[in-house]
Amino acid sequence: MQPETKQAYQAKVQAQLDKFNAQIDEMKAKAAQAKADAAIDYHSQVEELCAKRDTAQAKLAEMQASSEAAWEEMKVGFEKAWSELQSSFEKATSKFQ
């Protein structure tokens, strides 16, 4: 089995981030329609998701700027940020469905 290339990994991650962005936008729209008490909770969850998404996006940018030799090391930091984003997103979506 051939190891994943930096470019292939980045393309896969960017596609997943784009999907999260679309889902966050959908949650924002739902929050705007929610009643006042639920809206506060929605907004809080969306803010947390956006912060974690921004962290993952920053780690991806660092990885993109890294050398071929260093990208595997950068991947570890990104994977941690990505895991936190996925966990928060799953928590938020299960809470608001």
Side-chain angles (χ1 to χ4, degrees):
M1 189 164 152
Q2 197 173 46
E4 190 170 31
T5 67
K6 178 181 174 184
Q7 290 78 17
Y9 183 79
Q10 289 172 351
K12 177 178 75 175
V13 167
Q14 187 61 56
Q16 291 172 331
L17 276 171
D18 291 343
K19 181 179 177 183
F20 274 130
N21 284 333
Q23 291 173 322
I24 288 171
D25 288 343
E26 183 179 322
M27 289 182 75
K28 285 179 182 178
K30 286 181 182 178
Q33 295 173 354
K35 293 184 178 173
D37 57 339
I40 292 169
D41 208 15
Y42 263 118
H43 289 295
S44 174
Q45 291 292 316
V46 168
E47 285 178 20
E48 180 181 342
L49 284 171
C50 287
K52 291 188 186 290
R53 184 235 13 234
D54 292 347
T55 298
Q57 188 73 48
K59 292 287 184 188
L60 177 60
E62 288 175 21
M63 193 169 48
Q64 289 170 328
S66 69
S67 68
E68 285 294 323
W71 92 271
E72 282 291 338
E73 187 176 314
M74 299 294 298
K75 185 178 173 184
V76 174
F78 176 79
E79 290 289 337
K80 182 176 186 260
W82 187 255
S83 178
E84 290 175 11
L85 174 61
Q86 286 181 311
S87 177
S88 292
F89 193 80
E90 288 169 7
K91 178 182 161 190
T93 55
S94 68
K95 186 175 185 175
F96 294 114
Q97 287 185 351

